[in-house]
Amino acid sequence: MKRTLAMLALGFSLALAQTRGGELRVAILAEPPVLDPTASTSQEIARMLYDNVLQGLVKFNEKGEIVPALAERWQGSPSSLTWTFYLRKGVRFHDGSPFTAEDVVYKFNRARDPRSGHTHPEYYQDIQSVETKDPYTVVFRLRQPNQDFLFNLARPDSVIGPKGRVEAQRTNPIGTGPFRFVAWERGVGVRLERFEGYYEPGLPYLDRVFFRFLPDANAQIAALRAGDIHVIGLGVSPENALVLGRDPAFKVVTGFTTTEITAGMNNSRPPFNDPRVRRAIQHAVDKKALVEGVMLGYGTPIGSHRSPGESCYEDLSGYYPYDPARARALLQEAGYGPGNPLRFTFTLAAPYPYERRLGEAIAAQLGQIGVQARLEVVEWATWLSRVFRGADYQMTIIGHSEPNDIGIYANPNYYFRYDSPRFRELYTQYLRTPDPKRACELMKEMQRLLAQDAVNLWVMNAPYLAAMRREVMGWWTNQPTPSLNVTRVYLAR
Amino acid sequence: MRGFLLRRLLLALFTLWLSATLVFAFLLLLPGDPVQAILGLEASPEARAALERSLGLDKPPLARYLDWLEGVFRGELGESIRYGKPVAELLWERLPLSLALVLLGLGGSLALSLPLALLALRFPLWDLALSGLMAFLQSLPTFFLGVALLYLLAVHLPLLPASGFPGWERPLEALRHLLLPAFTLALSRAALLFRMARASLLEVLSQDYIRTARAKGVPEGRVLWKHALKPASLPLVTLLGLEGGFLLTGAVVVEAVFALPGLGSLALTALEARDYPLLQGLVLAMACLIVLFNLLVDLLYGLLDPRVAYA
């Protein structure tokens, strides 16, 4: 009996030794301006902190499904106008204060106020009131049904901090997640530490997490090989993925993202205000060849603005089959030919390697039917102000990483300058319908309409490529949300 | 000497003012603004306006410039837009690393190039090989050299850490992290110094007093060390002064490759984020350092060559 117990104890401690403790070091491409996702939409903030440090009422799991976080369960009224959230009891913030319904009310009153400086107040504009019924029950009343209401509550923008704490959250975020924020070393990285008071028993497995800012891809690979870091969290180049994948000391994780790599066309300006030109471009680009040739097989061709891993996805990648002859004919119809070739400027954003090389390859493919795309590489701040805000461009290419973001086409001032009353009507119908099945149909119809109008050239769903040392276990294979979730990650020894 | 110093000081102040002002003007010409960089892609106009107000960016450029200038006179460099911290504080955090890197790089390139130049002059066969090698080194871009060394010395033969900086709390560990980047800088600059040193030594060796020394039977090694090196190092000092400035800017590349939190990488972030106060503070600090380097060179000149008069 004694021996069995000793054996058991030994076995137990071995199992523990394999899974608990240690520091995980993860490379992050860029340093965000602040550490509060409600103050800036920089994706790097969510990458480090979403669900690791900061949580909302609900959250996305690895498959992209909405699951409970700070709300144990919730209930929508049949009209979808009243939503009741039952909060988890006994939850504490990292500063020790208890999490209650008051924090939720404070959060969403701030979020829906456009003057508060909160990111994306439009996500919350259908909220008429937020009230506490008791310390653990919150009731949201909506002005009108909103199909994306729950989805928006799961976004990084919807994380909840202690009531009244706004300024300090920017540099010293306090949340309810499995890790608490320890330090932001400017230019170096962000340190997290296991939060002893976390409500899910036994979690997290790691003692410490260090997100290190490593902007240079070469430096990342070298640091991984030298053992300085354990994980390159995303953006591993396809070549490096192949090389590291063959090395037994490392493993490469590939999955889906919600990023649509989109060659945006300015629908309000020549030459792309002519739908025939836009359609010609669709026929002239061989997306399969781009995936094989440029991305070494990583990535999935798409034909509209939605990713295969998202709900209500409609596969339209074959909507415009690769057909150079058809492309030439369409261009001829629009008045372009050998004597008067189609010429335009193709603006590439310097910091995005996938997009840049895809852009170069697309320009080469277009060149084969006589289209002259002049490549222009601009710095990120320039891209933002000229292309994104000013719509001062002809064609560009960028990854749209936000999940469920088809709504951007309902805004005629968005940089594609796509102005379609029909699309806006569909989108409003989608938002207002309480019936999820009907909403799904509308979502698919929107995707078809975008493809039909050939608003942009949707090239592919960006692959999720991460590389790590072999001992790293429990890393998410997919990126349904921009988060490098380390709650269940451990280091095997 | 005093008049010289005063004139140098006034010139330095003018240089600093001019560089800071030019940077301010150029930043205004560049597209992009800090508010967009902070709020990200899809910020609402209300949020933009609120942030612009709180950062004081709603004021006209001239008013912002004058505010900044006034601040400098009071000894304040303002607050970084991106980091929300005083610029001076950020500079002080990063300065030691960059200075250490530049000094190590300078020292390293001297330590490499001078003995090699002497060696080359003693043995004609070495001369050919070394000149070839140096020409090759000079043609390599710094980032390539950095990455190559990184793979060789940190990944394949794990002698030195690959990147990052642990902070100054453990000085030895900090030094270990700086060795590889400093070596990269040293190698990339050694080529130029080697050629300069070689040419200058050759010239000095053709002088009459060297012939005299040799004729007196002074051993060749002693001729080189004792009589040739000091006068031959004059043009080197000039070059070093210039190199100090170059290294400071060249360190940007090395800091990026080795992910070091120095002034260079801070400048890159500041530029990307259009962080006007931070970038101005940085330019001011770097200009100060370059002016300082040049001043040191001028003073060293007098020590090395008594013929130089401060007029």
Side-chain angles (χ1 to χ4, degrees):
Chain A
M1 179 70 191
K2 234 182 183 171
R3 223 174 109 190
T4 339
L5 266 183
M7 289 286 280
L8 263 177
L10 184 71
F12 192 58
S13 61
L14 271 180
L16 276 184
Q18 275 178 346
T19 57
R20 301 203 78 87
E23 181 184 69
L24 181 79
R25 295 183 297 273
V26 183
I28 280 272
L29 257 170
E31 179 170 25
V34 290
L35 295 182
D36 179 4
T38 75
S40 161
T41 55
S42 163
Q43 304 273 304
E44 309 296 341
I45 307 170
R47 255 163 218 149
M48 295 186 284
L49 303 181
Y50 177 78
D51 200 31
N52 291 333
V53 173
L54 301 164
Q55 300 178 314
L57 291 172
V58 290
K59 66 184 180 189
F60 298 110
N61 68 5
E62 191 176 352
K63 291 180 197 146
E65 298 157 344
I66 295 168
V67 295
L70 291 175
E72 225 163 31
R73 60 198 169 85
W74 56 90
Q75 207 172 21
S77 68
S79 62
S80 288
L81 286 175
T82 310
W83 291 76
T84 310
F85 288 84
Y86 302 95
L87 308 185
R88 209 182 276 269
K89 293 190 176 88
V91 174
R92 289 194 173 271
F93 284 109
H94 299 148
D95 62 355
S97 60
F99 161 75
T100 68
E102 295 290 327
D103 301 302
V104 183
V105 171
Y106 179 82
K107 154 79 197 185
F108 288 100
N109 278 333
R110 183 176 159 247
R112 67 202 178 99
D113 175 5
R115 285 158 306 171
S116 68
H118 193 287
T119 47
H120 296 300
E122 74 277 10
Y123 290 162
Y124 314 99
Q125 66 192 1
D126 283 339
I127 299 174
Q128 188 164 38
S129 69
V130 202
E131 286 149 31
T132 61
K133 226 159 114 188
D134 62 63
Y136 296 102
T137 314
V138 182
V139 180
F140 287 78
R141 277 177 225 289
L142 304 190
R143 282 192 189 91
Q144 47 193 350
N146 187 322
Q147 187 59 39
D148 285 344
F149 174 63
L150 205 58
F151 190 93
N152 288 338
L153 288 192
R155 289 182 189 267
D157 310 74
S158 299
V159 296
I160 298 168
K163 177 186 168 185
R165 200 171 193 275
V166 175
E167 250 330 285
Q169 283 295 92
R170 297 165 67 95
T171 50
N172 184 14
I174 285 179
T176 53
F179 290 93
R180 65 182 188 86
F181 166 81
V182 178
W184 175 10
E185 294 167 27
R186 303 295 195 285
V188 182
V190 165
R191 288 183 195 280
L192 310 180
E193 200 174 82
R194 180 192 159 77
F195 173 45
E196 295 299 338
Y198 188 54
Y199 54 79
E200 283 186 273
L203 288 178
Y205 300 134
L206 295 162
D207 285 339
R208 286 178 308 278
V209 182
F210 183 27
F211 287 105
R212 243 187 75 184
F213 310 137
L214 279 173
D216 185 86
N218 279 309
Q220 288 188 348
I221 297 285
L224 182 71
R225 285 192 175 275
D228 286 10
I229 54 167
H230 297 96
V231 183
I232 301 174
L234 91 163
V236 177
S237 76
E239 306 82 54
N240 282 333
L242 279 184
V243 173
L244 288 171
R246 280 199 288 261
D247 190 328
F250 305 103
K251 55 186 177 186
V252 170
V253 158
T254 61
F256 69 77
T257 62
T258 58
T259 302
E260 299 90 17
I261 296 185
T262 304
M265 297 188 263
N266 193 336
N267 283 227
S268 70
R269 263 199 200 179
F272 298 114
N273 54 353
D274 185 338
R276 289 171 300 192
V277 175
R278 299 201 301 266
R279 291 195 182 111
I281 298 285
Q282 317 277 339
H283 284 298
V285 172
D286 184 354
K287 295 175 189 170
K288 284 208 184 78
L290 292 175
V291 169
E292 291 304 321
V294 182
M295 303 295 287
L296 305 177
Y298 295 109
T300 314
I302 51 173
S304 191
H305 200 99
R306 200 158 180 85
S307 301
E310 293 185 278
S311 61
C312 312
Y313 169 73
E314 172 100 331
D315 185 0
L316 295 162
S317 55
Y319 196 89
Y320 295 98
Y322 175 57
D323 186 349
R326 175 102 192 86
R328 272 202 203 91
L330 276 165
L331 282 180
Q332 195 127 42
E333 237 177 87
Y336 299 98
N340 173 31
L342 173 65
R343 283 199 189 102
F344 61 87
T345 303
F346 193 0
T347 309
L348 310 181
Y352 294 96
Y354 292 171
E355 285 84 344
R356 266 179 70 184
R357 51 164 105 177
L358 283 170
E360 286 155 13
I362 288 170
Q365 287 192 354
L366 292 177
Q368 291 185 347
I369 61 158
V371 173
Q372 297 174 8
R374 192 178 71 84
L375 292 171
E376 168 197 55
V377 179
V378 300
E379 199 203 350
W380 184 231
T382 310
W383 190 91
L384 280 175
S385 76
R386 258 189 37 205
V387 178
F388 189 78
R389 280 191 57 217
D392 178 14
Y393 76 106
Q394 290 179 296
M395 189 192 264
T396 186
I397 182 166
I398 211 77
H400 281 258
S401 57
E402 281 278 291
N404 196 21
D405 57 350
I406 206 165
I408 55 181
Y409 292 88
N411 173 5
N413 287 321
Y414 207 72
Y415 76 104
F416 315 133
R417 297 285 148 106
Y418 171 62
D419 189 355
S420 160
R422 171 87 188 117
F423 185 89
R424 285 200 287 279
E425 193 192 306
L426 279 176
Y427 183 64
T428 313
Q429 273 184 36
Y430 158 82
L431 274 186
R432 301 300 165 235
T433 175
D435 174 18
K437 256 179 115 178
R438 171 87 187 111
C440 218
E441 277 162 31
L442 287 162
M443 176 59 82
K444 289 185 174 176
E445 202 173 332
M446 281 191 280
Q447 294 169 59
R448 283 193 295 270
L449 179 59
L450 291 182
Q452 207 174 39
D453 286 346
V455 184
N456 294 321
L457 173 71
W458 297 279
V459 185
M460 68 177 68
N461 176 241
Y464 175 55
L465 283 175
M468 60 203 69
R469 302 193 67 81
R470 204 191 35 200
E471 65 264 29
V472 178
M473 301 290 169
W475 194 265
W476 281 19
T477 42
N478 295 320
Q479 276 254 298
T481 160
S483 160
L484 304 177
N485 199 312
V486 287
T487 310
R488 290 165 195 276
V489 172
Y490 64 92
L491 295 168
R493 259 163 246 154
Chain B
M1 179 82 184
R2 209 197 263 152
F4 167 80
L5 271 181
L6 192 70
R7 257 185 295 129
R8 284 302 307 251
L9 208 66
L10 282 177
L11 192 66
L13 280 179
F14 178 74
T15 313
L16 296 182
W17 169 78
L18 193 68
S19 47
T21 306
L22 283 178
V23 164
F24 190 86
F26 284 138
L27 270 178
L28 289 177
L29 293 178
L30 276 182
D33 68 313
V35 171
Q36 189 83 60
I38 289 174
L39 291 178
L41 280 186
E42 281 140 46
S44 66
E46 288 91 351
R48 286 183 53 86
L51 189 62
E52 260 170 18
R53 248 195 324 282
S54 77
L55 294 175
L57 290 173
D58 50 342
K59 291 187 209 162
L62 189 65
R64 268 163 32 211
Y65 170 70
L66 291 176
D67 278 356
W68 179 80
L69 211 58
E70 193 202 26
V72 172
F73 274 111
R74 275 184 284 115
E76 284 165 22
L77 291 174
E79 198 172 88
S80 156
I81 289 174
R82 184 167 208 270
Y83 288 115
K85 279 174 99 177
V87 170
E89 199 180 306
L90 286 166
L91 290 183
W92 278 122
E93 273 172 22
R94 307 286 187 104
L95 187 66
L97 190 149
S98 288
L99 266 188
L101 191 62
V102 168
L103 291 180
L104 279 175
L106 272 183
S109 62
L110 255 186
L112 275 171
S113 55
L114 267 185
L116 288 181
L118 284 172
L119 208 64
L121 286 183
R122 280 301 303 266
F123 310 104
L125 216 65
W126 278 83
D127 193 15
L128 201 68
L130 282 171
S131 296
L133 179 72
M134 289 300 169
F136 172 68
L137 273 181
Q138 202 176 4
S139 64
L140 285 181
T142 314
F143 77 88
F144 178 79
L145 190 64
V147 171
L149 287 176
L150 185 61
Y151 273 91
L152 187 68
L153 294 175
V155 177
H156 291 297
L157 311 166
L159 296 173
L160 291 166
S163 60
F165 187 69
W168 290 105
E169 290 87 52
R170 289 174 299 159
L172 269 183
E173 198 49 34
L175 196 67
R176 233 168 66 80
H177 276 80
L178 284 182
L179 278 185
L180 198 50
F183 187 52
T184 307
L185 269 185
L187 264 191
S188 71
R189 307 320 301 188
L192 203 62
L193 277 178
F194 168 82
R195 286 174 41 174
M196 195 73 162
R198 188 178 162 277
S200 156
L201 273 169
L202 267 178
E203 200 195 311
V204 171
L205 285 177
S206 67
Q207 302 279 323
D208 289 344
Y209 70 93
I210 297 288
R211 203 156 8 119
T212 314
R214 281 186 178 144
K216 281 198 308 190
V218 179
E220 186 63 19
R222 205 176 141 75
V223 169
L224 283 175
W225 273 118
K226 217 41 204 178
H227 298 284
L229 206 53
K230 199 171 146 186
S233 59
L234 261 183
L236 279 188
V237 168
T238 320
L239 194 63
L240 274 183
L242 291 173
E243 285 285 283
F246 270 128
L247 278 179
L248 211 56
T249 43
V252 175
V253 177
V254 172
E255 282 176 17
V257 170
F258 293 95
L260 292 173
L263 290 179
S265 50
L266 189 64
L268 273 185
T269 340
L271 181 67
E272 273 164 20
R274 299 288 187 267
D275 192 337
Y276 306 120
L278 182 54
L279 209 56
Q280 273 170 305
L282 271 164
V283 166
L284 210 58
M286 291 209 184
C288 269
L289 285 174
I290 290 174
V291 165
L292 206 69
F293 267 121
N294 287 336
L295 199 64
L296 278 177
V297 166
D298 284 351
L299 294 177
L300 256 179
Y301 244 67
L303 289 179
L304 285 171
D305 188 348
R307 285 171 305 181
V308 176
Y310 294 105

